[in-house]
PDB file of all heavy atoms in Angstrom:
ATOM      1  N   SER A   1      16.240  -0.835   3.228  1.00 93.00           N
ATOM      2  CA  SER A   1      15.449   0.069   3.984  1.00 93.00           C
ATOM      3  C   SER A   1      14.524  -0.486   5.061  1.00 93.00           C
ATOM      4  O   SER A   1      14.377   0.050   6.110  1.00 93.00           O
ATOM      5  CB  SER A   1      14.650   0.968   3.001  1.00 93.00           C
ATOM      6  OG  SER A   1      13.674   0.156   2.257  1.00 93.00           O
ATOM      7  N   LYS A   2      13.906  -1.607   4.760  1.00 93.00           N
ATOM      8  CA  LYS A   2      13.078  -2.204   5.764  1.00 93.00           C
ATOM      9  C   LYS A   2      13.868  -2.652   7.008  1.00 93.00           C
ATOM     10  O   LYS A   2      13.465  -2.456   8.105  1.00 93.00           O
ATOM     11  CB  LYS A   2      12.272  -3.366   5.212  1.00 93.00           C
ATOM     12  CG  LYS A   2      11.287  -4.013   6.224  1.00 93.00           C
ATOM     13  CD  LYS A   2      10.515  -5.167   5.698  1.00 93.00           C
ATOM     14  CE  LYS A   2       9.657  -5.787   6.778  1.00 93.00           C
ATOM     15  NZ  LYS A   2       8.892  -7.027   6.254  1.00 93.00           N
ATOM     16  N   SER A   3      15.050  -3.184   6.725  1.00 95.00           N
ATOM     17  CA  SER A   3      15.896  -3.639   7.805  1.00 95.00           C
ATOM     18  C   SER A   3      16.364  -2.462   8.667  1.00 95.00           C
ATOM     19  O   SER A   3      16.521  -2.563   9.818  1.00 95.00           O
ATOM     20  CB  SER A   3      17.116  -4.358   7.286  1.00 95.00           C
ATOM     21  OG  SER A   3      18.124  -3.566   6.778  1.00 95.00           O
ATOM     22  N   PHE A   4      16.567  -1.341   7.980  1.00 97.00           N
ATOM     23  CA  PHE A   4      16.960  -0.077   8.699  1.00 97.00           C
ATOM     24  C   PHE A   4      15.821   0.338   9.665  1.00 97.00           C
ATOM     25  O   PHE A   4      15.999   0.740  10.773  1.00 97.00           O
ATOM     26  CB  PHE A   4      17.285   1.035   7.748  1.00 97.00           C
ATOM     27  CG  PHE A   4      18.170   2.115   8.243  1.00 97.00           C
ATOM     28  CD1 PHE A   4      18.708   3.067   7.357  1.00 97.00           C
ATOM     29  CD2 PHE A   4      18.580   2.112   9.555  1.00 97.00           C
ATOM     30  CE1 PHE A   4      19.517   4.087   7.854  1.00 97.00           C
ATOM     31  CE2 PHE A   4      19.457   3.097  10.030  1.00 97.00           C
ATOM     32  CZ  PHE A   4      19.931   4.128   9.167  1.00 97.00           C
ATOM     33  N   LYS A   5      14.580   0.298   9.096  1.00 96.00           N
ATOM     34  CA  LYS A   5      13.374   0.668   9.879  1.00 96.00           C
ATOM     35  C   LYS A   5      13.261  -0.297  11.141  1.00 96.00           C
ATOM     36  O   LYS A   5      13.112   0.171  12.248  1.00 96.00           O
ATOM     37  CB  LYS A   5      12.136   0.501   9.069  1.00 96.00           C
ATOM     38  CG  LYS A   5      10.846   0.619   9.842  1.00 96.00           C
ATOM     39  CD  LYS A   5       9.616   0.147   9.009  1.00 96.00           C
ATOM     40  CE  LYS A   5       8.415   0.063   9.910  1.00 96.00           C
ATOM     41  NZ  LYS A   5       7.199  -0.352   9.084  1.00 96.00           N
ATOM     42  N   LEU A   6      13.433  -1.607  10.917  1.00 96.00           N
ATOM     43  CA  LEU A   6      13.300  -2.527  12.025  1.00 96.00           C
ATOM     44  C   LEU A   6      14.452  -2.307  13.042  1.00 96.00           C
ATOM     45  O   LEU A   6      14.171  -2.421  14.266  1.00 96.00           O
ATOM     46  CB  LEU A   6      13.415  -3.964  11.491  1.00 96.00           C
ATOM     47  CG  LEU A   6      12.177  -4.413  10.592  1.00 96.00           C
ATOM     48  CD1 LEU A   6      12.486  -5.777   9.998  1.00 96.00           C
ATOM     49  CD2 LEU A   6      10.879  -4.329  11.326  1.00 96.00           C
ATOM     50  N   TYR A   7      15.623  -2.021  12.509  1.00 97.00           N
ATOM     51  CA  TYR A   7      16.740  -1.678  13.477  1.00 97.00           C
ATOM     52  C   TYR A   7      16.469  -0.511  14.297  1.00 97.00           C
ATOM     53  O   TYR A   7      16.642  -0.532  15.536  1.00 97.00           O
ATOM     54  CB  TYR A   7      18.002  -1.543  12.615  1.00 97.00           C
ATOM     55  CG  TYR A   7      19.111  -0.848  13.321  1.00 97.00           C
ATOM     56  CD1 TYR A   7      19.891  -1.425  14.262  1.00 97.00           C
ATOM     57  CD2 TYR A   7      19.458   0.533  13.019  1.00 97.00           C
ATOM     58  CE1 TYR A   7      20.964  -0.833  14.938  1.00 97.00           C
ATOM     59  CE2 TYR A   7      20.483   1.140  13.673  1.00 97.00           C
ATOM     60  CZ  TYR A   7      21.248   0.495  14.612  1.00 97.00           C
ATOM     61  OH  TYR A   7      22.252   1.176  15.252  1.00 97.00           O
ATOM     62  N   LEU A   8      16.007   0.558  13.671  1.00 97.00           N
ATOM     63  CA  LEU A   8      15.749   1.772  14.417  1.00 97.00           C
ATOM     64  C   LEU A   8      14.561   1.577  15.464  1.00 97.00           C
ATOM     65  O   LEU A   8      14.654   2.085  16.576  1.00 97.00           O
ATOM     66  CB  LEU A   8      15.376   2.931  13.482  1.00 97.00           C
ATOM     67  CG  LEU A   8      16.517   3.507  12.614  1.00 97.00           C
ATOM     68  CD1 LEU A   8      15.994   4.533  11.651  1.00 97.00           C
ATOM     69  CD2 LEU A   8      17.645   3.996  13.460  1.00 97.00           C
ATOM     70  N   ASN A   9      13.581   0.811  15.064  1.00 96.00           N
ATOM     71  CA  ASN A   9      12.448   0.505  15.992  1.00 96.00           C
ATOM     72  C   ASN A   9      12.947  -0.410  17.144  1.00 96.00           C
ATOM     73  O   ASN A   9      12.250  -0.387  18.245  1.00 96.00           O
ATOM     74  CB  ASN A   9      11.318  -0.183  15.233  1.00 96.00           C
ATOM     75  CG  ASN A   9      10.442   0.864  14.605  1.00 96.00           C
ATOM     76  OD1 ASN A   9      10.100   1.821  15.104  1.00 96.00           O
ATOM     77  ND2 ASN A   9       9.977   0.416  13.360  1.00 96.00           N
ATOM     78  N   SER A  10      14.006  -1.115  16.966  1.00 97.00           N
ATOM     79  CA  SER A  10      14.535  -1.960  18.099  1.00 97.00           C
ATOM     80  C   SER A  10      15.043  -1.099  19.216  1.00 97.00           C
ATOM     81  O   SER A  10      15.260  -1.656  20.382  1.00 97.00           O
ATOM     82  CB  SER A  10      15.602  -2.909  17.623  1.00 97.00           C
ATOM     83  OG  SER A  10      16.845  -2.282  17.481  1.00 97.00           O
ATOM     84  N   PHE A  11      15.301   0.179  19.089  1.00 98.00           N
ATOM     85  CA  PHE A  11      15.695   1.073  20.207  1.00 98.00           C
ATOM     86  C   PHE A  11      14.554   1.377  21.165  1.00 98.00           C
ATOM     87  O   PHE A  11      14.770   1.799  22.249  1.00 98.00           O
ATOM     88  CB  PHE A  11      16.247   2.390  19.651  1.00 98.00           C
ATOM     89  CG  PHE A  11      17.580   2.286  19.076  1.00 98.00           C
ATOM     90  CD1 PHE A  11      17.860   1.746  17.794  1.00 98.00           C
ATOM     91  CD2 PHE A  11      18.746   2.825  19.731  1.00 98.00           C
ATOM     92  CE1 PHE A  11      19.128   1.641  17.283  1.00 98.00           C
ATOM     93  CE2 PHE A  11      20.028   2.735  19.160  1.00 98.00           C
ATOM     94  CZ  PHE A  11      20.249   2.144  17.916  1.00 98.00           C
ATOM     95  N   ASN A  12      13.350   1.079  20.772  1.00 97.00           N
ATOM     96  CA  ASN A  12      12.166   1.585  21.443  1.00 97.00           C
ATOM     97  C   ASN A  12      12.150   1.323  22.924  1.00 97.00           C
ATOM     98  O   ASN A  12      11.750   2.098  23.752  1.00 97.00           O
ATOM     99  CB  ASN A  12      10.854   1.145  20.786  1.00 97.00           C
ATOM    100  CG  ASN A  12      10.640   1.756  19.457  1.00 97.00           C
ATOM    101  OD1 ASN A  12      11.294   2.676  19.073  1.00 97.00           O
ATOM    102  ND2 ASN A  12       9.686   1.207  18.773  1.00 97.00           N
ATOM    103  N   GLN A  13      12.469   0.111  23.318  1.00 97.00           N
ATOM    104  CA  GLN A  13      12.352  -0.304  24.714  1.00 97.00           C
ATOM    105  C   GLN A  13      13.691  -0.535  25.387  1.00 97.00           C
ATOM    106  O   GLN A  13      13.782  -1.262  26.445  1.00 97.00           O
ATOM    107  CB  GLN A  13      11.537  -1.625  24.823  1.00 97.00           C
ATOM    108  CG  GLN A  13       9.999  -1.426  24.530  1.00 97.00           C
ATOM    109  CD  GLN A  13       9.382  -0.369  25.465  1.00 97.00           C
ATOM    110  OE1 GLN A  13       8.859   0.628  25.045  1.00 97.00           O
ATOM    111  NE2 GLN A  13       9.393  -0.724  26.766  1.00 97.00           N
ATOM    112  N   SER A  14      14.707   0.045  24.802  1.00 98.00           N
ATOM    113  CA  SER A  14      16.025  -0.056  25.416  1.00 98.00           C
ATOM    114  C   SER A  14      16.432   1.321  26.029  1.00 98.00           C
ATOM    115  O   SER A  14      16.056   2.418  25.519  1.00 98.00           O
ATOM    116  CB  SER A  14      17.107  -0.459  24.429  1.00 98.00           C
ATOM    117  OG  SER A  14      16.867  -1.781  23.958  1.00 98.00           O
ATOM    118  N   GLN A  15      17.183   1.317  27.110  1.00 98.00           N
ATOM    119  CA  GLN A  15      17.596   2.515  27.777  1.00 98.00           C
ATOM    120  C   GLN A  15      18.993   2.977  27.298  1.00 98.00           C
ATOM    121  O   GLN A  15      19.903   2.184  27.226  1.00 98.00           O
ATOM    122  CB  GLN A  15      17.604   2.315  29.312  1.00 98.00           C
ATOM    123  CG  GLN A  15      16.206   2.086  29.892  1.00 98.00           C
ATOM    124  CD  GLN A  15      16.232   1.996  31.422  1.00 98.00           C
ATOM    125  OE1 GLN A  15      17.316   2.162  32.069  1.00 98.00           O
ATOM    126  NE2 GLN A  15      15.037   1.953  32.013  1.00 98.00           N
ATOM    127  N   PHE A  16      19.067   4.324  27.086  1.00 98.00           N
ATOM    128  CA  PHE A  16      20.333   4.932  26.720  1.00 98.00           C
ATOM    129  C   PHE A  16      20.469   6.246  27.447  1.00 98.00           C
ATOM    130  O   PHE A  16      19.481   6.984  27.775  1.00 98.00           O
ATOM    131  CB  PHE A  16      20.407   5.168  25.172  1.00 98.00           C
ATOM    132  CG  PHE A  16      20.300   3.924  24.377  1.00 98.00           C
ATOM    133  CD1 PHE A  16      19.001   3.532  23.852  1.00 98.00           C
ATOM    134  CD2 PHE A  16      21.390   3.101  24.180  1.00 98.00           C
ATOM    135  CE1 PHE A  16      18.947   2.404  23.099  1.00 98.00           C
ATOM    136  CE2 PHE A  16      21.272   1.929  23.483  1.00 98.00           C
ATOM    137  CZ  PHE A  16      20.080   1.525  22.948  1.00 98.00           C
ATOM    138  N   GLU A  17      21.666   6.613  27.740  1.00 97.00           N
ATOM    139  CA  GLU A  17      21.972   7.794  28.593  1.00 97.00           C
ATOM    140  C   GLU A  17      21.572   9.092  27.885  1.00 97.00           C
ATOM    141  O   GLU A  17      21.088  10.054  28.531  1.00 97.00           O
ATOM    142  CB  GLU A  17      23.441   7.812  28.941  1.00 97.00           C
ATOM    143  CG  GLU A  17      23.826   6.802  29.963  1.00 97.00           C
ATOM    144  CD  GLU A  17      23.327   7.063  31.360  1.00 97.00           C
ATOM    145  OE1 GLU A  17      23.010   8.211  31.627  1.00 97.00           O
ATOM    146  OE2 GLU A  17      23.238   6.074  32.151  1.00 97.00           O
ATOM    147  N   SER A  18      21.755   9.194  26.567  1.00 97.00           N
ATOM    148  CA  SER A  18      21.595  10.523  25.903  1.00 97.00           C
ATOM    149  C   SER A  18      21.380  10.282  24.436  1.00 97.00           C
ATOM    150  O   SER A  18      21.618   9.246  23.838  1.00 97.00           O
ATOM    151  CB  SER A  18      22.766  11.386  26.177  1.00 97.00           C
ATOM    152  OG  SER A  18      23.931  10.869  25.597  1.00 97.00           O
ATOM    153  N   MET A  19      20.994  11.374  23.817  1.00 98.00           N
ATOM    154  CA  MET A  19      20.960  11.384  22.306  1.00 98.00           C
ATOM    155  C   MET A  19      22.298  11.160  21.643  1.00 98.00           C
ATOM    156  O   MET A  19      22.393  10.528  20.634  1.00 98.00           O
ATOM    157  CB  MET A  19      20.290  12.726  21.830  1.00 98.00           C
ATOM    158  CG  MET A  19      20.129  12.780  20.353  1.00 98.00           C
ATOM    159  SD  MET A  19      19.474  14.445  19.853  1.00 98.00           S
ATOM    160  CE  MET A  19      17.777  14.363  20.609  1.00 98.00           C
ATOM    161  N   GLU A  20      23.342  11.667  22.325  1.00 98.00           N
ATOM    162  CA  GLU A  20      24.653  11.509  21.808  1.00 98.00           C
ATOM    163  C   GLU A  20      25.154  10.090  21.818  1.00 98.00           C
ATOM    164  O   GLU A  20      25.772   9.598  20.817  1.00 98.00           O
ATOM    165  CB  GLU A  20      25.653  12.389  22.605  1.00 98.00           C
ATOM    166  CG  GLU A  20      25.569  13.890  22.393  1.00 98.00           C
ATOM    167  CD  GLU A  20      24.314  14.441  23.048  1.00 98.00           C
ATOM    168  OE1 GLU A  20      23.799  13.805  24.011  1.00 98.00           O
ATOM    169  OE2 GLU A  20      23.826  15.482  22.549  1.00 98.00           O
ATOM    170  N   VAL A  21      24.691   9.283  22.771  1.00 98.00           N
ATOM    171  CA  VAL A  21      25.036   7.897  22.860  1.00 98.00           C
ATOM    172  C   VAL A  21      24.362   7.138  21.743  1.00 98.00           C
ATOM    173  O   VAL A  21      24.927   6.310  21.069  1.00 98.00           O
ATOM    174  CB  VAL A  21      24.641   7.309  24.222  1.00 98.00           C
ATOM    175  CG1 VAL A  21      24.689   5.790  24.257  1.00 98.00           C
ATOM    176  CG2 VAL A  21      25.522   7.850  25.367  1.00 98.00           C
ATOM    177  N   VAL A  22      23.023   7.487  21.549  1.00 98.00           N
ATOM    178  CA  VAL A  22      22.285   6.796  20.477  1.00 98.00           C
ATOM    179  C   VAL A  22      22.916   7.083  19.137  1.00 98.00           C
ATOM    180  O   VAL A  22      23.017   6.239  18.244  1.00 98.00           O
ATOM    181  CB  VAL A  22      20.798   7.260  20.510  1.00 98.00           C
ATOM    182  CG1 VAL A  22      20.051   6.729  19.298  1.00 98.00           C
ATOM    183  CG2 VAL A  22      20.186   6.765  21.779  1.00 98.00           C
ATOM    184  N   SER A  23      23.273   8.344  18.849  1.00 98.00           N
ATOM    185  CA  SER A  23      23.908   8.724  17.639  1.00 98.00           C
ATOM    186  C   SER A  23      25.270   7.966  17.379  1.00 98.00           C
ATOM    187  O   SER A  23      25.456   7.409  16.285  1.00 98.00           O
ATOM    188  CB  SER A  23      24.276  10.246  17.632  1.00 98.00           C
ATOM    189  OG  SER A  23      24.919  10.592  16.424  1.00 98.00           O
ATOM    190  N   THR A  24      26.048   7.832  18.405  1.00 98.00           N
ATOM    191  CA  THR A  24      27.303   7.081  18.364  1.00 98.00           C
ATOM    192  C   THR A  24      27.061   5.600  18.009  1.00 98.00           C
ATOM    193  O   THR A  24      27.734   4.990  17.164  1.00 98.00           O
ATOM    194  CB  THR A  24      28.106   7.219  19.652  1.00 98.00           C
ATOM    195  OG1 THR A  24      28.376   8.540  19.901  1.00 98.00           O
ATOM    196  CG2 THR A  24      29.379   6.386  19.632  1.00 98.00           C
ATOM    197  N   ILE A  25      26.018   5.009  18.630  1.00 98.00           N
ATOM    198  CA  ILE A  25      25.650   3.592  18.369  1.00 98.00           C
ATOM    199  C   ILE A  25      25.285   3.402  16.908  1.00 98.00           C
ATOM    200  O   ILE A  25      25.738   2.436  16.229  1.00 98.00           O
ATOM    201  CB  ILE A  25      24.671   3.133  19.350  1.00 98.00           C
ATOM    202  CG1 ILE A  25      25.190   3.070  20.786  1.00 98.00           C
ATOM    203  CG2 ILE A  25      24.097   1.731  18.923  1.00 98.00           C
ATOM    204  CD1 ILE A  25      24.137   2.807  21.858  1.00 98.00           C
ATOM    205  N   ILE A  26      24.328   4.258  16.444  1.00 98.00           N
ATOM    206  CA  ILE A  26      23.882   4.085  15.033  1.00 98.00           C
ATOM    207  C   ILE A  26      25.075   4.312  14.059  1.00 98.00           C
ATOM    208  O   ILE A  26      25.207   3.505  13.073  1.00 98.00           O
ATOM    209  CB  ILE A  26      22.803   5.108  14.749  1.00 98.00           C
ATOM    210  CG1 ILE A  26      21.540   4.889  15.608  1.00 98.00           C
ATOM    211  CG2 ILE A  26      22.380   5.060  13.263  1.00 98.00           C
ATOM    212  CD1 ILE A  26      20.467   5.929  15.513  1.00 98.00           C
ATOM    213  N   LYS A  27      25.936   5.256  14.303  1.00 98.00           N
ATOM    214  CA  LYS A  27      27.090   5.478  13.403  1.00 98.00           C
ATOM    215  C   LYS A  27      27.944   4.229  13.452  1.00 98.00           C
ATOM    216  O   LYS A  27      28.445   3.804  12.379  1.00 98.00           O
ATOM    217  CB  LYS A  27      27.856   6.678  13.908  1.00 98.00           C
ATOM    218  CG  LYS A  27      29.092   6.989  13.115  1.00 98.00           C
ATOM    219  CD  LYS A  27      29.785   8.299  13.604  1.00 98.00           C
ATOM    220  CE  LYS A  27      31.048   8.523  12.683  1.00 98.00           C
ATOM    221  NZ  LYS A  27      31.692   9.791  13.151  1.00 98.00           N
ATOM    222  N   ARG A  28      28.210   3.646  14.610  1.00 98.00           N
ATOM    223  CA  ARG A  28      29.036   2.445  14.692  1.00 98.00           C
ATOM    224  C   ARG A  28      28.442   1.300  14.000  1.00 98.00           C
ATOM    225  O   ARG A  28      29.114   0.546  13.228  1.00 98.00           O
ATOM    226  CB  ARG A  28      29.230   2.115  16.198  1.00 98.00           C
ATOM    227  CG  ARG A  28      30.042   0.822  16.484  1.00 98.00           C
ATOM    228  CD  ARG A  28      29.831   0.327  17.831  1.00 98.00           C
ATOM    229  NE  ARG A  28      28.460  -0.166  18.013  1.00 98.00           N
ATOM    230  CZ  ARG A  28      27.909  -0.353  19.229  1.00 98.00           C
ATOM    231  NH1 ARG A  28      28.572  -0.008  20.309  1.00 98.00           N
ATOM    232  NH2 ARG A  28      26.687  -0.779  19.310  1.00 98.00           N
ATOM    233  N   ASP A  29      27.144   1.084  14.148  1.00 98.00           N
ATOM    234  CA  ASP A  29      26.499  -0.075  13.614  1.00 98.00           C
ATOM    235  C   ASP A  29      26.378   0.034  12.021  1.00 98.00           C
ATOM    236  O   ASP A  29      26.712  -0.951  11.297  1.00 98.00           O
ATOM    237  CB  ASP A  29      25.093  -0.266  14.143  1.00 98.00           C
ATOM    238  CG  ASP A  29      25.170  -0.654  15.661  1.00 98.00           C
ATOM    239  OD1 ASP A  29      26.207  -1.118  16.074  1.00 98.00           O
ATOM    240  OD2 ASP A  29      24.071  -0.582  16.307  1.00 98.00           O
ATOM    241  N   VAL A  30      25.904   1.153  11.580  1.00 98.00           N
ATOM    242  CA  VAL A  30      25.712   1.352  10.099  1.00 98.00           C
ATOM    243  C   VAL A  30      27.014   1.440   9.433  1.00 98.00           C
ATOM    244  O   VAL A  30      27.339   0.865   8.343  1.00 98.00           O
ATOM    245  CB  VAL A  30      24.847   2.557   9.823  1.00 98.00           C
ATOM    246  CG1 VAL A  30      24.716   2.731   8.324  1.00 98.00           C
ATOM    247  CG2 VAL A  30      23.413   2.355  10.439  1.00 98.00           C
ATOM    248  N   GLY A  31      27.922   2.223   9.978  1.00 98.00           N
ATOM    249  CA  GLY A  31      29.290   2.412   9.426  1.00 98.00           C
ATOM    250  C   GLY A  31      30.075   1.065   9.431  1.00 98.00           C
ATOM    251  O   GLY A  31      30.764   0.733   8.453  1.00 98.00           O
ATOM    252  N   GLY A  32      29.897   0.265  10.399  1.00 98.00           N
ATOM    253  CA  GLY A  32      30.567  -1.053  10.505  1.00 98.00           C
ATOM    254  C   GLY A  32      30.032  -1.986   9.503  1.00 98.00           C
ATOM    255  O   GLY A  32      30.720  -2.757   8.872  1.00 98.00           O
ATOM    256  N   LEU A  33      28.700  -1.969   9.270  1.00 97.00           N
ATOM    257  CA  LEU A  33      28.055  -2.788   8.383  1.00 97.00           C
ATOM    258  C   LEU A  33      28.461  -2.478   6.931  1.00 97.00           C
ATOM    259  O   LEU A  33      28.761  -3.464   6.126  1.00 97.00           O
ATOM    260  CB  LEU A  33      26.505  -2.615   8.436  1.00 97.00           C
ATOM    261  CG  LEU A  33      25.610  -3.468   7.553  1.00 97.00           C
ATOM    262  CD1 LEU A  33      25.532  -4.951   8.049  1.00 97.00           C
ATOM    263  CD2 LEU A  33      24.272  -2.825   7.437  1.00 97.00           C
ATOM    264  N   LEU A  34      28.568  -1.220   6.603  1.00 98.00           N
ATOM    265  CA  LEU A  34      28.933  -0.878   5.266  1.00 98.00           C
ATOM    266  C   LEU A  34      30.480  -0.618   5.041  1.00 98.00           C
ATOM    267  O   LEU A  34      30.953  -0.369   3.912  1.00 98.00           O
ATOM    268  CB  LEU A  34      28.240   0.520   4.915  1.00 98.00           C
ATOM    269  CG  LEU A  34      26.719   0.457   4.916  1.00 98.00           C
ATOM    270  CD1 LEU A  34      26.149   1.844   4.575  1.00 98.00           C
ATOM    271  CD2 LEU A  34      26.178  -0.560   3.877  1.00 98.00           C
ATOM    272  N   GLN A  35      31.206  -0.744   6.197  1.00 97.00           N
ATOM    273  CA  GLN A  35      32.639  -0.440   6.144  1.00 97.00           C
ATOM    274  C   GLN A  35      32.895   0.894   5.524  1.00 97.00           C
ATOM    275  O   GLN A  35      33.720   1.056   4.604  1.00 97.00           O
ATOM    276  CB  GLN A  35      33.355  -1.589   5.425  1.00 97.00           C
ATOM    277  CG  GLN A  35      33.307  -2.953   6.035  1.00 97.00           C
ATOM    278  CD  GLN A  35      34.070  -2.976   7.362  1.00 97.00           C
ATOM    279  OE1 GLN A  35      35.229  -2.804   7.429  1.00 97.00           O
ATOM    280  NE2 GLN A  35      33.264  -3.130   8.467  1.00 97.00           N
ATOM    281  N   ALA A  36      32.271   1.938   6.054  1.00 96.00           N
ATOM    282  CA  ALA A  36      32.348   3.242   5.516  1.00 96.00           C
ATOM    283  C   ALA A  36      32.126   4.298   6.595  1.00 96.00           C
ATOM    284  O   ALA A  36      31.458   4.074   7.553  1.00 96.00           O
ATOM    285  CB  ALA A  36      31.333   3.467   4.404  1.00 96.00           C
ATOM    286  N   PRO A  37      32.623   5.573   6.308  1.00 96.00           N
ATOM    287  CA  PRO A  37      32.470   6.665   7.343  1.00 96.00           C
ATOM    288  C   PRO A  37      31.162   7.316   7.163  1.00 96.00           C
ATOM    289  O   PRO A  37      31.056   8.298   6.501  1.00 96.00           O
ATOM    290  CB  PRO A  37      33.637   7.572   6.930  1.00 96.00           C
ATOM    291  CG  PRO A  37      33.794   7.321   5.454  1.00 96.00           C
ATOM    292  CD  PRO A  37      33.581   5.938   5.195  1.00 96.00           C
ATOM    293  N   VAL A  38      30.068   6.726   7.755  1.00 98.00           N
ATOM    294  CA  VAL A  38      28.748   7.322   7.600  1.00 98.00           C
ATOM    295  C   VAL A  38      28.634   8.518   8.673  1.00 98.00           C
ATOM    296  O   VAL A  38      29.428   8.502   9.634  1.00 98.00           O
ATOM    297  CB  VAL A  38      27.664   6.290   7.895  1.00 98.00           C
ATOM    298  CG1 VAL A  38      27.751   5.118   6.922  1.00 98.00           C
ATOM    299  CG2 VAL A  38      27.663   5.786   9.304  1.00 98.00           C
ATOM    300  N   VAL A  39      27.777   9.451   8.365  1.00 98.00           N
ATOM    301  CA  VAL A  39      27.543  10.591   9.301  1.00 98.00           C
ATOM    302  C   VAL A  39      26.161  10.447   9.807  1.00 98.00           C
ATOM    303  O   VAL A  39      25.149  10.309   9.012  1.00 98.00           O
ATOM    304  CB  VAL A  39      27.733  11.860   8.549  1.00 98.00           C
ATOM    305  CG1 VAL A  39      27.411  13.060   9.476  1.00 98.00           C
ATOM    306  CG2 VAL A  39      29.128  12.019   8.022  1.00 98.00           C
ATOM    307  N   ILE A  40      25.962  10.469  11.180  1.00 98.00           N
ATOM    308  CA  ILE A  40      24.687  10.423  11.778  1.00 98.00           C
ATOM    309  C   ILE A  40      24.447  11.664  12.523  1.00 98.00           C
ATOM    310  O   ILE A  40      25.216  12.086  13.409  1.00 98.00           O
ATOM    311  CB  ILE A  40      24.582   9.255  12.783  1.00 98.00           C
ATOM    312  CG1 ILE A  40      24.847   7.864  12.091  1.00 98.00           C
ATOM    313  CG2 ILE A  40      23.180   9.261  13.483  1.00 98.00           C
ATOM    314  CD1 ILE A  40      23.850   7.562  11.005  1.00 98.00           C
ATOM    315  N   ASP A  41      23.337  12.388  12.224  1.00 98.00           N
ATOM    316  CA  ASP A  41      22.844  13.604  12.949  1.00 98.00           C
ATOM    317  C   ASP A  41      21.520  13.339  13.471  1.00 98.00           C
ATOM    318  O   ASP A  41      20.592  12.972  12.786  1.00 98.00           O
ATOM    319  CB  ASP A  41      22.863  14.835  11.980  1.00 98.00           C
ATOM    320  CG  ASP A  41      24.195  15.140  11.419  1.00 98.00           C
ATOM    321  OD1 ASP A  41      25.100  15.405  12.143  1.00 98.00           O
ATOM    322  OD2 ASP A  41      24.358  15.115  10.188  1.00 98.00           O
ATOM    323  N   LEU A  42      21.393  13.602  14.787  1.00 98.00           N
ATOM    324  CA  LEU A  42      20.028  13.494  15.412  1.00 98.00           C
ATOM    325  C   LEU A  42      19.558  14.933  15.816  1.00 98.00           C
ATOM    326  O   LEU A  42      20.340  15.745  16.229  1.00 98.00           O
ATOM    327  CB  LEU A  42      20.122  12.584  16.664  1.00 98.00           C
ATOM    328  CG  LEU A  42      20.588  11.176  16.418  1.00 98.00           C
ATOM    329  CD1 LEU A  42      20.387  10.318  17.694  1.00 98.00           C
ATOM    330  CD2 LEU A  42      19.723  10.502  15.316  1.00 98.00           C
TER     331      LEU A  42
END
């Protein structure tokens, strides 16, 4: 959980086009880490 918090906070000063892009990135990173179909809703 702490690593998840630090990961989410790392978005703070980075630029992204939209909420949909951010959602896709989190799904890719967490899903890839766990090798599982995670669902991300923002």
Side-chain angles (χ1 to χ4, degrees):
S1 60
K2 182 179 178 181
S3 78
F4 204 174
K5 170 193 174 182
L6 296 175
Y7 162 74
L8 293 176
N9 276 319
S10 78
F11 283 75
N12 290 348
Q13 289 301 118
S14 294
Q15 293 187 356
F16 300 96
E17 289 288 339
S18 65
M19 183 181 293
E20 290 72 26
V21 169
V22 173
S23 177
T24 299
I25 291 172
I26 298 174
K27 179 178 180 179
R28 179 197 67 199
D29 292 344
V30 178
L33 181 76
L34 298 177
Q35 294 296 295
V38 303
V39 178
I40 302 296
D41 299 298
L42 298 187

